[in-house]
Amino acid sequence: MHVPDGFIDAPTSAVTAVVAAGAVAVSLRGARRELDERTAPLAGLVAAFIFAVQMLNFPVAAGTSGHLLGGALAAILVGPYTGVLCVSVVLLMQGVLFADGGLSALGVNILDMAVVTTVTGYAVFRGLVLLLPRGRRSVTAASFVAALVSVPAAAVAFTLLYWIGGTTDIAIGRVATAMVGVHVLIGLGEAVITALTVAAVIAVRPDLVHGARGLRRPLRLRVGGEPVDAPEPEPAAPAARSHRAVWITGLVTSLVLAGFVSFYASAHPDGLEKIASDEGIDEKAREHAASDSPLADYGVKDVTDARVSGGLAGVIGVGATVVAGSTVFWVLHRRRRGGTSPADTTAPDA
Amino acid sequence: MGAGHAHRLHRPGTSRVHTLPPHTKLAAVLAFVVVVVSTPREAMWAFGLYAVLLAAVAGVARVPPGFLLRRLLIEVPFVAFAVLMPFVAQGPRTEVLGLSLSVSGLWGAWNVLAKGTLGVAASVLLAATTPLRDLLLGLQRLRLPSLLVQIATFMIRYGDLITDEMRRMRIARASRGFEARGVRHWGVLAASAGALFIRSYERGERVHLAMVSRGYTGSLPVIDEVTASRAQWSRALALPVAALAVCLLGWTL
């Protein structure tokens, strides 16, 4: 599924490269937290594992065979941040060394196959593990569903990117149907293999599986014939980390998306608008109450250039959203500080 | 890195392309690909000129055409996709050999084929003239985060080892009479993948301990700092600059 050069146009490739770089930067920080100073050798070896396991052929029937993509598997085995990092490095090396996937499409490939599969897979996995009863079976079942969802999710992400910056105007519905249809089948294979692999690792070394950390049982000692729970070792206090980098990355990304990418997106009506105009639904739609506000229909009044107007409206919209969101958080934070917050009660007296 | 780690795409040599510093080559290839992708697809002659430029580089690097063409086969899956495009795209249609094809689909197929092939050819030339270790040094020189370069280094250094481990597992399975024929045998293969993960992870832990015992503190020392003179930069950037000229002509004509 490696996207070659020329599939997605240059501006979209540039923006996805920036977004992918941001995601990799966040993962670098996160991976240091997951693996501390062992990051380089362990993530490197896991990347080598992903690279090797992608070459392991699983025969389907009559000469055809499939292989693992590995995004969800990496996230479950070593954690989401390290997983994103490992798959990204594999993609980078495949692009530079084996000419597999275009260099200009590297951002698209990383965003699609490393970030979307891994993050979606891990989110689904975490959610299911929390919902299902504790146990090895639940972890296996959760990895099945996580891998099953992660592959079509990547297909949907690719379809979105293709819609924004594709170089051929194939009906987006057709692309979506074909991509998702094929990838649900691939996802089924991926799900079976991922679940079996995770089960095999859990059977031998459950402590290595990042997603199965909740399964660890407390150590029980026999003191004078009586079984006693051993005292939990004090977990190291997590280092205070600032959210500033995440904040700035997020803000810049949203501004770029809203101000720049929207040039390329807003030219076409979105799916709902299209269907609405095709089916004549929008004839009945009444103009929104805010239709003569200064930002109506994602454009700034009195700015004639459609692109600048759309971009400006996007940037102003992001700004307003940030201000509103920050106000809500600030108010909630103040209120929690005012009452007894859980942080206060658990804080040591000293 | 020893002889066993030479990757399959690399062709050792002493040509002027081989001896360029790796980061200049990486920058040149990246700039070239970006220029090619931003060329309008209607300027068909421009892509011919790009191919001539790449052929000239291959000539200077003494990479035989047969080698280059064989490596282009990696593109085949996307060629299949491109062939489908004229049949499924929208817009006005035209008659070619009795088939009704979409005009925009034909342009799209041409676009993907031309740009994809040129991109693959440029990457193949880069990989053919640059040893692995140099590529990693080049990435580091281009200010890729050092942790990322370290991870890539470990992946490359142990990639062959892990792949060989997988091959030995396959031989062990085969020598015990196992043959994977269908979905029913996936359990065995997945168990192998699980064992491979455990072995890789444990090897990573051992490698880390070995490194710590040799004084590793989180960064690898750079002992062979690569630098590029102005002449080397200008020689490497001749390719993308020439391509840029072609691209600008393509936009204006």
Side-chain angles (χ1 to χ4, degrees):
Chain A
M1 217 167 72
H2 294 70
V3 179
D5 292 309
F7 222 78
I8 305 285
D9 64 8
T12 316
S13 303
V15 174
T16 47
V18 171
V19 177
V24 169
V26 172
S27 313
L28 276 171
R29 291 173 64 97
R32 280 218 188 92
R33 233 175 302 133
E34 277 169 4
L35 295 173
D36 53 69
E37 90 285 355
R38 300 174 303 159
T39 305
L42 276 181
L45 265 290
V46 173
F49 161 73
I50 300 282
F51 184 69
V53 91
Q54 284 187 350
M55 287 191 265
L56 185 60
N57 271 319
F58 286 80
V60 178
T64 56
S65 66
H67 69 90
L68 207 58
L69 299 174
L73 181 66
I76 294 164
L77 287 180
V78 291
Y81 294 113
T82 319
V84 170
L85 222 48
C86 291
V87 183
S88 305
V89 168
V90 169
L91 290 171
L92 173 72
M93 285 293 120
Q94 281 172 339
V96 175
L97 279 187
F98 302 103
D100 203 359
L103 284 185
S104 71
L106 197 60
V108 176
N109 280 326
I110 287 184
L111 199 64
D112 195 28
M113 284 191 277
V115 179
V116 172
T117 50
T118 312
V119 171
T120 322
Y122 193 73
V124 170
F125 177 81
R126 248 349 301 161
L128 280 178
V129 164
L130 289 179
L131 285 180
L132 294 172
R134 268 168 56 130
R136 291 181 179 185
R137 285 240 177 98
S138 319
V139 173
T140 313
S143 14
F144 180 86
V145 181
L148 182 63
V149 174
S150 73
V151 179
V156 169
F158 173 80
T159 312
L160 275 179
L161 287 176
Y162 192 83
W163 183 43
I164 296 171
T167 47
T168 315
D169 56 339
I170 301 177
I172 196 66
R174 270 197 212 175
V175 178
T177 323
M179 286 294 285
V180 174
V182 170
H183 284 88
V184 164
L185 286 181
I186 298 178
L188 260 179
E190 175 99 4
V192 174
I193 302 168
T194 303
L196 287 172
T197 307
V198 170
V201 178
I202 287 187
V204 185
R205 287 286 305 268
D207 55 317
L208 288 193
V209 181
H210 185 273
R213 291 199 167 162
L215 295 184
R216 207 175 286 162
R217 293 213 190 87
L219 182 65
R220 287 174 77 84
L221 299 174
R222 196 169 280 275
V223 180
E226 286 292 305
V228 182
D229 280 342
E232 277 284 305
E234 279 290 312
R241 57 197 173 82
S242 100
H243 293 284
R244 194 177 297 162
V246 180
W247 257 90
I248 293 172
T249 316
L251 192 63
V252 169
T253 313
S254 343
L255 284 177
V256 167
L257 284 175
F260 181 73
V261 183
S262 58
F263 294 175
Y264 299 94
S266 57
H268 313 286
D270 76 10
L272 201 58
E273 287 175 21
K274 173 89 174 74
I275 294 172
S277 70
D278 284 355
E279 308 291 327
I281 302 172
D282 59 346
E283 282 171 23
K284 287 186 197 148
R286 242 175 273 147
E287 284 283 295
H288 193 274
S291 59
D292 45 288
S293 86
L295 291 176
D297 214 359
Y298 299 109
V300 180
K301 253 190 188 176
D302 306 328
V303 181
T304 41
D305 186 333
R307 288 189 159 188
V308 175
S309 155
L312 217 64
V315 171
I316 296 174
V318 168
T321 314
V322 166
V323 170
S326 309
T327 316
V328 171
F329 271 106
W330 186 69
V331 168
L332 284 178
H333 192 67
R334 284 280 303 256
R335 186 175 291 175
R336 209 162 52 161
R337 269 184 159 179
T340 50
S341 73
D344 288 338
T345 51
T346 53
D349 296 326
Chain B
M1 237 173 265
H5 294 284
H7 63 100
R8 288 167 292 151
L9 286 170
H10 182 228
R11 279 181 70 87
T14 52
S15 75
R16 297 174 73 176
V17 183
H18 281 84
T19 47
L20 278 178
H23 55 289
T24 61
K25 277 191 272 188
L26 271 168
V29 168
L30 195 61
F32 176 77
V33 171
V34 168
V35 168
V36 167
V37 169
S38 28
T39 309
R41 57 191 176 186
E42 285 78 12
M44 286 177 129
W45 51 271
F47 296 98
L49 285 182
Y50 291 145
V52 170
L53 283 176
L54 281 184
V57 175
V60 174
R62 297 205 194 85
V63 174
F67 175 85
L68 199 58
L69 291 177
R70 254 201 320 281
R71 294 299 174 201
L72 287 182
L73 287 181
I74 194 157
E75 249 208 323
V76 165
F78 270 96
V79 172
F81 189 90
V83 167
L84 276 180
M85 273 187 175
F87 294 98
V88 295
Q90 300 161 312
R93 304 184 87 79
T94 177
E95 287 280 320
V96 180
L97 299 173
L99 292 172
S100 164
L101 300 177
S102 153
V103 175
S104 75
L106 281 173
W107 277 118
W110 155 252
N111 185 48
V112 168
L113 274 183
K115 293 179 178 174
T117 311
L118 286 168
V120 172
S123 304
V124 167
L125 273 177
L126 171 70
T129 57
T130 321
L132 266 178
R133 173 77 193 134
D134 287 6
L135 271 179
L136 293 169
L137 277 178
L139 287 174
Q140 185 154 24
R141 200 65 224 285
L142 291 177
R143 299 287 154 84
L144 209 68
S146 91
L147 190 57
L148 210 59
V149 177
Q150 281 187 44
I151 294 174
T153 311
F154 280 104
M155 182 204 140
I156 293 297
R157 194 161 284 194
Y158 290 96
D160 286 348
L161 213 94
I162 305 289
T163 317
D164 273 352
E165 199 141 18
M166 197 172 73
R167 195 176 47 83
R168 285 196 295 278
M169 284 183 182
R170 184 171 57 76
I171 294 172
R173 286 196 306 266
S175 61
R176 284 157 181 78
F178 173 81
E179 191 192 347
R181 274 187 307 269
V183 182
R184 279 174 302 131
H185 300 116
W186 282 12
V188 177
L189 293 175
S192 304
L196 190 67
F197 169 74
I198 294 171
R199 289 187 188 181
S200 310
Y201 199 91
E202 288 179 345
R203 188 185 293 275
E205 287 173 335
R206 290 198 302 277
V207 167
H208 172 246
L209 288 180
M211 284 162 60
V212 167
S213 68
R214 285 159 180 78
Y216 174 73
T217 51
S219 65
L220 293 179
V222 178
I223 44 176
D224 36 1
E225 182 73 42
V226 281
T227 50
S229 67
R230 192 167 290 230
Q232 285 170 321
W233 267 115
S234 54
R235 216 180 312 148
L237 292 184
L239 173 71
V241 168
L244 188 64
V246 175
C247 176
L248 291 178
L249 273 179
W251 275 107
T252 48
L253 289 186

